[in-house]
Amino acid sequence: MAKKRVLITGGAGFLGSHLCDRFLKEGCHVIAMDNLITGSLDNIQHLFHREDFEFYNHDVSKFVHVPGDLDYIMHFASPASPIDYLKMPIQTLKVGSLGTHNLLGLAKAKGARMLIASTSEVYGDPLVHPQTEDYWGNVNPVGPRGVYDEAKRFQEAMTMGYHTFHGVETRIVRIFNTYGPRMRLDDGRVLPAFIGQALRGEDLTAFGDGSQTRSFCYVDDLVEGIYRLLLSDCADPVNIGNPDEITINQFAEEILKLTGSKSKIIYKPLPTDDPKQRQPNITKAKELLGWSPQFSRSEGLKPTLEYFKDKVK
Ligand SMILES: NC(=O)c1ccc[n+]([C@@H]2O[C@H](COP(=O)([O-])OP(=O)(O)OC[C@H]3O[C@@H](n4cnc5c(N)ncnc54)[C@H](O)[C@@H]3O)[C@@H](O)[C@H]2O)c1
């Protein structure tokens, strides 16, 4: 039987590169596409010798051409961390809108199934806790995070439009904070920031009073959930994340203990529109996909810490 052919946009990024690994393991032919604005070839250099792997350096906000058949399109290209999308607001809006439109057109032309990487940011600063998929969100469209949040909300709407109007098979995953090897130390997210600071012996910077909460999902769990969603028949959005919620203060203490660091926690003003709490309700993923996270934070942090130790100079 011919191998399934998968296009993974953002394939040189953190999540995209793990998806490349997973689809190759499943026996697929993988085409990674990335313009490297936040990703790195280091994340996929272990794959370049393979005949079942190709890489295209291309901006998906421009017309996308891929020769041959495609079975699946995984759209993961987008600046993803607040410092990235604040630096690149227009690229972020374009890749969520024009990029998604280009790829949906490609999916339609090839008869491929397309899965888009949406985000818990579509819930904004949520007034419902934990967040279920039927909650519509509390987003400030003109606030600093609006460029990302609204691009992702538009991306979902466009994807649903292609599904209902053109009959394209689509899947929408709403990803909650995910971590693991190949994250960038300097992407501004709290987990690499704390680990980097602890390993360098610097104080850990918490924003606000540190009472806001986050929940962190290990990347292998996320990839498993995404893979199951792709193979399911659910076109509606599905949350994938780890509901184990922790305050930023507790998390900082955990990192200090794990790294054996003697650093202190210092506090800076909360950035505008920073969500106060985030926790996925994953009932739908459990019922529909038989999925729930398998890695505890202490299990997931071990390989992550090992990865970061090599990166800290
Ligand atoms: N990591 C998370 O916790 C998380 C949470 C929610 C959603 N997501 C979504 O998952 C996806 C991947 O996130 P990540 O954490 O791996 O970030 P990342 O920055 O590591 O990866 C994104 C990749 O997309 C590439 N890219 C950006 N714009 C592009 C364009 N126009 N054309 C081609 N390539 C482009 C970047 O170079 C990078 O390699 C994003 O869509 C993000 O919004 C991630």
Side-chain angles (χ1 to χ4, degrees), residues 9-16 33-40 58-61 75-80 84 91 95 117-120 148 152 175-179 182 184 189:
T9 76
F14 163 46
L15 299 181
M33 186 174 280
D34 204 299
N35 65 353
L36 302 175
I37 52 170
T38 60
S40 164
H58 182 68
D59 176 351
V60 300
S61 299
H75 183 23
F76 279 67
S78 173
D84 290 338
Q91 287 101 317
V95 74
S118 186
T119 167
S120 55
Y148 182 68
K152 291 291 185 180
I175 302 170
F176 283 66
N177 275 344
T178 299
Y179 70 98
R182 302 186 197 150
R184 277 174 19 239
R189 289 186 260 210

Side-chain angles (χ1 to χ4, degrees), residues 104 155-165 170 172 235-237:
L104 283 164
Q155 180 181 43
E156 287 196 8
M158 173 71 93
T159 299
M160 206 39 97
Y162 264 68
H163 175 67
T164 50
F165 189 72
T170 55
I172 299 173
D236 290 326

